[in-house]
């Protein structure tokens, strides 16, 4: 309107501009959209792989709450839980973190961690408050996977643990379970991981893991044997009690080692198979692979003889009993009189300083055949009087009757002679038979009669003995006393006779005096004879005589 | 033959000798005197022992021919042992004094004696100097029961030496003189006992 009032300022032609149809305000939602898209992309691009784990049950699992952990670090969350199509299990869908996608190996192990109490220990106590979670053990397989089957229980050995897997098998009635220890010299070096029963072979296989560095101990010559609980062995050599570690006292367990005398062998690198022997002795037996088998035909009882019993040659174990009465014999044979029970024994060349190969066996067969001709015989002897366990003893009996070599069911026969115990038994039996034949009733009657008569006789003898004793004592006393009294009287008389005032003494004294007088009388004669021996015959006895003289004369000498 | 017999007889006769003429001497001669019954009021003394020198313990009589030489006579011998002869003679002489009753040691009353005499005879012989000698010692033990109630014993020792000249030859006279010497000894003993008891 203002343009018409001023001609100079003619209204200019209106510039017609097109009106904007889209407002700028729309940028806001567009930006928001972009942000949203970006967020979706970010979420999509950063979310982990979705995996499916198959469980038998979903005990304690909740979608959106239960976490997946490895080494106690959250790596995922359970998104969905649903039954499998065939209702045989539960499919748990888990969203894993993006970072763990590279470690989703095909052999990853999943299991539910919950409180668990076993003989091996107590685990998972932390889940009492936090609730169970799914633990993942990374595997080592190069292939990746997004579908897994969870384990019922925690794996004994997490995948990738350094060590050695071996498979043990046992034909015996051993019962091991997962987690049972493998002990070496008292140290737990491994565990039973898994158990398989082979229906065709009817053998139980135990997958066992030996931890590093003990897996180096497993060599080609390693033997495994049972050390469950307390082992008591009643053998020919007596009672033997052995046990492993404290853990094996409560549970079962095996140990291993290389039997004495065997080389160490080569170290095992891959999964191998080993037998579990009942004990060390049995395991040790296995160190010799070759043996020469013979049969001995036993005429006596084989009670006390067991498979595995030692075969000794002059006290040295050279083999063992392989079987007893297991050859092809019919029941009629057994009932036949004079049936000899076949016992198959083995002689191992490795035990007698011979090479453990066919050459050693050939040497044994040649030597044994030669010896049998010279009196080489087998006997059953008692190894343990307590248990009555028997063993086969091989000895030389030069006086044994000649034996023609023979075969029995393909085995060469080592002749037997009657064992010592059997000999004693037969003699005792014969004695007992003789005793049985004695008419004990009559004998006892006679014995009773005789005993009563003896008793009477003894009584009368006692009476007589008493009487004789009293008689003897009285006689002895009387005699002794009378003899003593008489002797004393005699001694008294004797002493009286010889006493100072006695007649005898006086007579003796008188005699002595008389004798002295006579000697005095003889003295001059003796003196004369002494001075002049011939004076008795040729001269008179006076000779020169000195006499005392009277005072008046001075000289007293005079001659007669 | 007869001649041979006669010769033998002559030879035997010429060889015959005269037998030895031995003389026996007795120290104490029998005395015709009966001792009266012993007076019990007299004190009693006992001649307990007599010891004789060894050279006198033989039967020959002894003659001293020099200071240290003796001669034992072969023909003159004691009829009894000098010890018992001297003992009896001394006892006899002592009793002759009449002061005491002197008893032999074997006498029953000897146990009540209050005086005891012991004698040792050393010399009792003749000499070539015409003497007879008797010497020795004796011991007197007196029990002074009368004076002393304690019955103390008093002992005294004495020696004696007596000699006498010979007036005749021969041993017989010598024995006689010796016998007298015993009497002297008895006198001395008697005196000494009296002196001892009274002391």
């Amino acid at each position: 309107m203002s343009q018409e009032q001023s001609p100079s300022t003619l209204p200019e032609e209106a510039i017609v501009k097109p009106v904007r149809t889209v407002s700028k305000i729309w940028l806001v939602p567009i930006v928001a959209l972009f942000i949203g898209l970006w967020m979706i992309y970010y979420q999509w691009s950063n979310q982990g792989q979705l995996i499916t784990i198959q469980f038998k049950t979903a005990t304690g699992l909740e979608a959106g709450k239960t976490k997946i952990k490895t080494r106690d670090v959250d790596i995922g969350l359970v998104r969905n839980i649903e039954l499998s199509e065939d209702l045989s299990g539960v499919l748990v869908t888990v969203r894993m973190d993006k970072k763990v996608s590279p470690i989703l190996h095909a052999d990853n192990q999943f299991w539910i961690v919950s409180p668990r109490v076993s003989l091996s220990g107590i685990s998972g106590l932390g889940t009492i408050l936090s609730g169970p979670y799914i633990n993942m053990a990374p595997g080592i397989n190069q292939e990746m996977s997004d579908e897994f089957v969870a384990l019922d229980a925690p794996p004994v050995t997490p995948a990738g643990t350094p060590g050695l897997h071996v498979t043990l098998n046992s034909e015996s009635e051993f019962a091991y379970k997962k987690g049972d220890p493998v002990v070496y010299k008292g140290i737990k070096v491994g565990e039973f991981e898994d158990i398989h029963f082979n229906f065709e072979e009817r053998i139980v296989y135990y997958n066992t893991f030996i931890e590093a560095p003990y897996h180096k101990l497993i060599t080609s010559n390693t033997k495994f044997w049972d050390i469950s609980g307390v082992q008591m062995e009643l053998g020919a050599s007596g009672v033997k009690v052995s046990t492993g570690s404290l853990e094996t006292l409560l549970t079962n367990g095996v140990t291993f080692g290389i039997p004495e005398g065997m080389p160490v062998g080569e170290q095992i690198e891959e999964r191998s198979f080993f037998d579990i022997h009942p004990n060390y002795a049995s395991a040790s037996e296995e160190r010799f692979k070759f043996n020469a088998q013979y049969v001995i035909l036993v005429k006596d009882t084989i009670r006390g003889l067991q498979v595995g019993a030692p075969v000794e040659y002059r006290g040295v174990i050279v083999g063992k009993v392989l079987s007893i009465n297991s050859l092809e014999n019919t029941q009629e044979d057994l009932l036949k009189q004079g049936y000899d029970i076949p016992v198959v024994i083995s002689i191992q060349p490795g035990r007698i300083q011979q090479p453990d190969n066919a050459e050693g066996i050939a040497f044994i067969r040649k030597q044994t055949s030669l010896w049998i001709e010279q009196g080489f015989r087998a006997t059953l002897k008692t190894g343990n009087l307590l248990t009555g366990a028997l063993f086969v003893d091989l000895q030389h009996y030069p006086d044994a009757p000649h034996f023609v070599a023979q075969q029995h069911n393909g085995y060469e026969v080592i002749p037997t002679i009657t064992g010592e115990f059997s000999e004693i038994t037969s003699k005792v039996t014969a004695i007992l038979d003789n005793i049985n034949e004695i008419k004990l009733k009559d004998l006892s009657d006679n014995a009773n009669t005789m005993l009563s008569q003896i008793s009477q006789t003894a009584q009368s003898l006692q009476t007589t003995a008493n009487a004789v004793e009293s008689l003897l004592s009285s006689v002895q006393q009387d005699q002794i006393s009378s003899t003593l009294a008489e002797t004393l009287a005699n001694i008294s008389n004797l002493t009286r006779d010889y006493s100072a005032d006695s007649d005898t003494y006086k007579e003796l004294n008188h005699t002595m005096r008389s004798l002295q007088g006579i000697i005095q009388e003889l003295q001059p004669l003796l003196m004369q004879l002494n001075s002049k021996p011939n004076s008795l015959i040729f001269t008179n006895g006076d000779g020169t005589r000195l006499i005392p003289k009277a005072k008046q004369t001075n000289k007293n000498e005079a001659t007669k | 033959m007869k001649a041979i017999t006669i010769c033998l007889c002559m030879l035997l006769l010429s060889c015959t000798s005269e037998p030895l003429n031995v003389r026996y001497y007795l120290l104490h001669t029998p005395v015709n005197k009966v001792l009266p019954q012993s007076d019990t009021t007299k004190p009693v003394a006992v001649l307990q022992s007599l010891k004789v020198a060894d050279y006198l313990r033989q039967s020959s009589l002894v003659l001293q021919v020099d200071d240290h030489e003796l001669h034992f006579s072969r023909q003159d011998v004691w009829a009894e042992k000098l010890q018992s002869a001297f003992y009896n003679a001394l006892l006899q002489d002592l009793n002759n004094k009449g002061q005491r009753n002197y008893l032999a040691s074997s006498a029953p009353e000897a146990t009540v004696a209050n005086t005891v005499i012991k004698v040792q005879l050393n010399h009792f012989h003749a000499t070539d100097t015409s003497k007879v000698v008797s010497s020795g010692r004796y011991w007197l033990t007196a029990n002074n029961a009368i004076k002393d109630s304690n019955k103390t014993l008093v002992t005294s020792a004495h020696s004696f030496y007596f000699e006498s000249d010979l007036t005749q030859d021969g041993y017989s006279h010598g024995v006689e003189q010796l016998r007298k010497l015993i009497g002297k000894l008895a006198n001395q003993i008697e005196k000494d006992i009296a002196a001892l008891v009274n002391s």
Side-chain angles (χ1 to χ4, degrees), chain B residues 126-139:
Chain B
T127 69
D128 61 348
T129 56
S130 302
K131 289 181 182 177
V132 288
V133 179
S134 172
S135 72
R137 290 176 65 82
Y138 59 89
W139 293 265

Side-chain angles (χ1 to χ4, degrees), chain A residues 420-482:
Chain A
E420 51 179 5
F421 189 73
S422 306
E423 251 176 48
I424 294 170
T425 309
S426 62
K427 286 178 182 174
V428 169
T429 307
I431 292 169
L432 288 175
D433 289 343
N434 289 333
I435 290 172
N436 271 338
E437 289 175 2
I438 296 171
K439 295 178 178 178
L440 287 175
K441 182 75 172 71
D442 298 344
L443 205 63
S444 63
D445 291 344
N446 291 336
N448 281 335
T449 312
M450 191 170 68
L451 283 173
S452 63
Q453 288 174 352
I454 286 172
S455 178
Q456 292 172 1
T457 309
Q459 284 179 358
S460 59
L461 194 65
Q462 178 73 23
T463 314
T464 310
N466 289 335
V468 168
E469 192 177 1
S470 60
L471 187 65
L472 279 176
S473 61
S474 63
V475 165
Q476 205 168 11
Q477 285 174 359
D478 291 349
Q479 193 174 0
I480 287 172
S481 58
S482 63

Side-chain angles (χ1 to χ4, degrees), chain B residues 178-199:
Chain B
L178 286 171
R179 178 67 182 84
K180 288 178 181 174
L181 295 183
I182 295 174
K184 289 180 181 177
L185 177 61
N187 287 335
Q188 186 174 330
I189 290 173
E190 175 66 27
K191 288 176 186 174
D192 288 339
I193 289 174
L196 183 65
V197 171
N198 295 328
S199 63

Side-chain angles (χ1 to χ4, degrees), chain A residues 516 520 523-524 528 536-553 556 560, chain B residues 15 17-18 20-21 23 25 58-59 63 65 71 74-76 81 126 128 130 165-171:
Chain A
Q516 203 170 9
Q520 281 183 350
Q523 196 171 16
Q528 183 182 345
L536 195 63
I537 302 173
F538 295 109
T539 62
N540 60 25
D542 292 344
T544 304
R545 187 187 179 205
L546 283 178
I547 59 169
K549 294 295 185 179
K551 187 73 177 177
Q552 289 78 13
T553 59
N556 292 329
K560 188 179 179 181
Chain B
C15 289
S17 59
E18 191 178 343
L20 184 66
N21 187 14
R23 295 183 180 88
Y25 299 92
Q58 41 82 36
S59 57
L63 176 65
V65 297
H71 171 75
R74 292 198 297 273
Q75 292 95 340
D76 304 288
K81 287 200 299 180
D128 61 348
S130 302
D165 292 337
L166 293 172
T167 57
Q168 296 178 13
D169 294 344
Y171 283 101

Side-chain angles (χ1 to χ4, degrees), chain A residues 374-406:
Chain A
Q374 298 173 354
F376 189 64
R377 300 289 185 269
T379 49
L380 294 185
K381 287 191 174 176
T382 307
N384 190 325
L385 287 175
L386 191 67
T387 60
L390 297 178
F391 68 96
V392 179
D393 187 45
L394 300 175
Q395 285 279 4
H396 293 283
Y397 297 92
D399 299 332
H402 182 69
F403 180 79
V404 179
Q406 64 181 38

Side-chain angles (χ1 to χ4, degrees), chain A residues 133-438:
Chain A
Y133 61 90
I134 297 169
N135 203 353
M136 183 192 82
I140 56 175
N141 201 332
Q142 295 299 324
E143 295 180 6
M144 299 297 177
S145 175
D146 57 356
E147 290 184 353
F148 302 93
V149 177
L151 303 174
D152 294 337
V156 174
T157 308
T161 306
L164 177 69
H165 289 272
V166 293
T167 301
L168 307 179
N169 62 79
S170 168
E171 295 180 3
S172 303
E173 301 294 332
F174 306 136
Y176 303 103
K177 60 183 182 299
K178 288 171 66 175
D180 281 349
V182 177
V183 177
Y184 181 75
K185 294 187 186 300
I187 303 170
K188 181 181 174 184
V189 298
E191 284 183 343
F192 284 83
E193 287 185 323
D194 201 3
I195 302 167
H196 293 293
F197 185 78
N198 189 318
F199 285 91
E200 291 179 0
E201 299 176 351
R202 305 199 173 204
I203 292 175
V204 183
Y205 288 96
Y206 301 96
N207 291 328
T208 311
F209 183 75
I210 309 296
E211 298 171 5
Y214 301 104
H215 68 285
K216 295 176 183 174
L217 298 171
I218 310 299
T219 66
S220 56
N221 286 336
T222 300
K223 306 290 180 190
F224 286 80
W225 63 91
D226 181 64
I227 53 163
S228 301
V230 178
Q231 294 176 323
M232 288 186 66
E233 190 179 346
L234 273 173
S237 55
V239 182
K240 184 179 178 183
V241 180
S242 58
T243 180
S245 65
L246 182 64
E247 190 175 355
T248 58
L249 275 176
L250 304 173
T251 65
N252 295 326
V254 295
T255 186
F256 60 89
I258 297 170
E260 211 173 326
M262 279 190 82
V264 175
E266 297 175 358
Q267 186 180 341
I268 301 295
E269 300 289 349
E270 298 177 349
R271 179 181 288 270
S272 299
F273 290 86
F274 293 95
D275 292 332
I276 300 176
H277 300 281
N279 46 46
Y280 172 74
S282 171
S284 182
E285 292 288 332
E286 296 299 322
R287 68 182 188 272
F288 301 115
K289 295 174 181 172
F290 290 85
N291 58 50
Q293 296 183 358
Y294 292 90
V295 67
I296 60 173
L297 301 172
V298 182
K299 296 180 185 299
D300 310 316
T301 177
I302 57 163
R303 181 179 178 81
L305 184 69
Q306 295 176 342
V307 173
V311 175
E312 295 185 4
Y313 169 66
R314 294 164 62 191
V316 179
I317 297 175
V318 298
K320 62 181 179 181
V321 174
L322 295 180
S323 68
I324 298 169
N325 199 25
S326 62
L327 300 179
E328 295 176 0
N329 291 302
T330 60
Q331 192 68 15
E332 292 176 356
D333 287 335
L334 183 59
L335 298 176
K336 194 184 291 180
Q337 194 172 9
Y339 170 73
D340 297 336
I341 301 170
V343 174
V344 178
I345 63 172
S346 69
I347 299 176
Q348 294 164 315
R351 291 183 182 273
I352 52 174
Q353 288 80 40
Q354 292 297 320
D356 193 15
N357 52 29
E359 289 180 9
I361 293 175
F363 176 80
I364 286 178
R365 290 197 180 284
K366 182 181 174 185
Q367 191 68 30
T368 306
S369 301
L370 185 64
W371 278 358
I372 286 173
E373 293 178 2
Q374 298 173 354
F376 189 64
R377 300 289 185 269
T379 49
L380 294 185
K381 287 191 174 176
T382 307
N384 190 325
L385 287 175
L386 191 67
T387 60
L390 297 178
F391 68 96
V392 179
D393 187 45
L394 300 175
Q395 285 279 4
H396 293 283
Y397 297 92
D399 299 332
H402 182 69
F403 180 79
V404 179
Q406 64 181 38
Q407 300 274 329
H408 184 89
N409 279 20
Y411 294 102
E412 191 174 352
V413 175
I414 294 178
T416 59
I417 62 170
T418 309
E420 51 179 5
F421 189 73
S422 306
E423 251 176 48
I424 294 170
T425 309
S426 62
K427 286 178 182 174
V428 169
T429 307
I431 292 169
L432 288 175
D433 289 343
N434 289 333
I435 290 172
N436 271 338
E437 289 175 2
I438 296 171

